Amino acid sequence: MICPKCEYEYVEGIKVCPDCGSDLITVEEFEGHLVHPEDWIVVYSTDKSYEADMLKSNLESADIETLILSQNDKNFPTVGDLSIIKILVRKTEADSALQIIDDINNSSENPEEQDNS
């Protein structure tokens, strides 16, 4: 048995983590929920952190698990934003995610069409 939060393993028979109080799960269940890089794909890249955060929020509201990979280094002073931020989703959800991102981008590019409807 393993704690999904603390990641400590316990002997058979213990049901609750003594450290955090979470219900323990089997090692197989835990490993089935691990993030493997080969299961994810980049669906969008931007240099604006607010745009990445908004897209992530929209995707997650559609029950699409989303990761943000930022290469932003605040310790390196530079003019402008040279970092690239990537939005990743599971490969199995890529088509749905791309459709949502396209819908968002198309609606923001044509705000006058929204006003007329």
Side-chain angles (χ1 to χ4, degrees):
M1 302 299 285
I2 192 168
C3 176
K5 291 185 181 176
C6 303
E7 299 183 14
Y8 295 133
E9 281 193 64
Y10 295 95
V11 296
E12 193 72 33
I14 297 178
K15 304 283 185 205
V16 177
C17 177
D19 292 324
C20 73
S22 295
D23 291 334
L24 301 182
I25 60 175
T26 64
V27 173
E28 292 80 17
E29 283 180 277
F30 179 76
E31 289 175 352
H33 290 86
L34 292 176
V35 176
H36 298 284
E38 64 271 6
D39 296 336
W40 296 79
I41 187 167
V42 175
V43 291
Y44 195 79
S45 296
T46 182
D47 62 348
K48 299 171 186 78
S49 61
Y50 69 86
E51 182 179 17
D53 289 338
M54 285 191 277
L55 287 173
K56 179 180 183 190
S57 177
N58 281 293
L59 292 172
E60 288 182 341
S61 70
D63 291 327
I64 298 175
E65 191 175 358
T66 308
L67 298 175
I68 292 181
L69 175 64
S70 177
Q71 299 166 333
N72 191 4
D73 184 359
K74 294 185 180 356
N75 295 319
F76 183 70
T78 180
V79 177
D81 192 350
L82 303 176
S83 67
I84 299 297
I85 303 165
K86 297 177 183 178
I87 299 175
L88 296 91
V89 299
R90 292 189 186 274
K91 288 180 181 178
T92 56
E93 298 176 320
D95 290 338
S96 299
L98 287 169
Q99 182 62 51
I100 291 169
I101 292 169
D102 285 343
D103 289 347
I104 292 168
N105 286 337
N106 288 335
S107 67
S108 66
E109 290 174 4
N110 302 317
E112 63 278 351
E113 289 179 12
Q114 291 178 344
D115 294 339
N116 296 331
S117 40

